[in-house]
Amino acid sequence: MNSTISRRAFMASGAVTLAFWSNPVFAFSEAKAAKLIGNAVDDINNIINSGGSEASMLKRFEGIFSKYADGKRIGQLVLGPASRAASPAQRKLFASTFQTYISRKYGRRFREFIGGRIEIKNTKAVKSFYEVSATAILAGEAPFELQFVVADQNGKFIDIKIEGISLIKAERAEIGAMLDKRKGDVDLLIADLNKIG
């Protein structure tokens, strides 16, 4: 995680990041975008309050990620310039691996949301996207703001802004640094991401 992101932002990214995905519905309206976010938040809250083990929760969080986000597009955005040089097979494998990686990374923070909630405030169209603004209210923490970015093109999440910080940009910086350490070897990056549990 980018070191500039606060603990509160990191926690938020748990509840929100794994909210990242949907069935093939099309936003194309503020109302549909708001409904999508509402459904994602409901699913997250159900898992948080399920009382399940960490392993079962992480598996279910990955299911939410798969359901509510455009994993292919997010994978390309996070991989950055390296995505253009990667083969179609590498891009596909990275997107799948990153989905599991980020589900594990943020899913473990969800327990900190027990007793809290996310309240949707408003939705607005911004160019070819919809931004759904919300407030995260946690026990013993000051409320903080979130913006869910839904693509008009396919009605899925493509980013989340946590107190103004883009999750995609933060992850792209971290993944970019990891890739640099591996001399641009995407296959090695994918293999190492699979080892992070």
Side-chain angles (χ1 to χ4, degrees):
M1 186 80 182
N2 191 308
S3 61
T4 63
I5 298 181
S6 66
R7 173 181 175 273
R8 207 151 40 106
F10 183 85
M11 287 171 52
S13 58
V16 183
T17 304
L18 298 189
F20 241 93
W21 328 98
S22 123
N23 290 326
V25 296
F26 294 88
F28 297 140
S29 73
E30 293 180 9
K32 287 184 179 180
K35 183 177 180 181
L36 178 76
I37 301 303
N39 289 341
V41 169
D42 286 345
D43 285 352
I44 290 169
N45 287 334
N46 285 337
I47 295 175
I48 292 170
N49 296 313
S50 68
S53 67
E54 182 179 88
S56 67
M57 289 176 71
L58 291 180
K59 187 174 182 62
R60 292 178 66 187
F61 286 142
E62 186 173 355
I64 287 179
F65 192 84
S66 177
K67 182 180 179 183
Y68 289 102
D70 185 346
K72 179 179 178 181
R73 186 169 181 184
I74 289 170
Q76 291 175 343
L77 291 171
V78 168
L79 196 54
S83 178
R84 293 191 291 273
S87 69
Q90 285 176 317
R91 288 194 294 269
K92 182 178 180 180
L93 184 56
F94 175 79
S96 175
T97 302
F98 183 74
Q99 174 175 303
T100 300
Y101 163 77
I102 204 154
S103 298
R104 292 171 180 167
K105 180 175 181 177
Y106 297 114
R108 289 189 171 90
R109 307 304 304 228
F110 271 63
R111 294 180 184 275
E112 298 181 47
F113 282 78
I114 294 174
R117 66 188 186 279
I118 298 174
E119 295 181 352
I120 295 174
K121 297 301 183 182
N122 58 67
T123 305
K124 65 179 179 180
V126 181
K127 297 181 179 180
S128 60
F129 309 104
Y130 291 97
E131 279 192 357
V132 181
S133 296
T135 300
I137 302 172
L138 306 180
E141 294 277 348
F144 55 93
E145 302 306 309
L146 311 166
Q147 287 83 41
F148 299 76
V149 181
V150 180
D152 193 12
Q153 184 179 14
N154 61 10
K156 293 188 176 186
F157 287 106
I158 59 168
D159 196 7
I160 299 165
K161 297 177 183 177
I162 305 162
E163 296 188 316
I165 298 173
S166 165
L167 185 66
I168 291 298
K169 289 182 180 178
E171 288 297 329
R172 184 165 55 203
E174 183 168 334
I175 292 296
M178 293 174 69
L179 190 59
D180 286 345
K181 289 180 180 179
R182 291 157 181 81
K183 302 186 185 303
D185 189 328
V186 174
D187 291 329
L188 184 56
L189 172 66
I190 291 170
D192 288 344
L193 284 177
N194 274 320
K195 297 174 185 176
I196 300 174

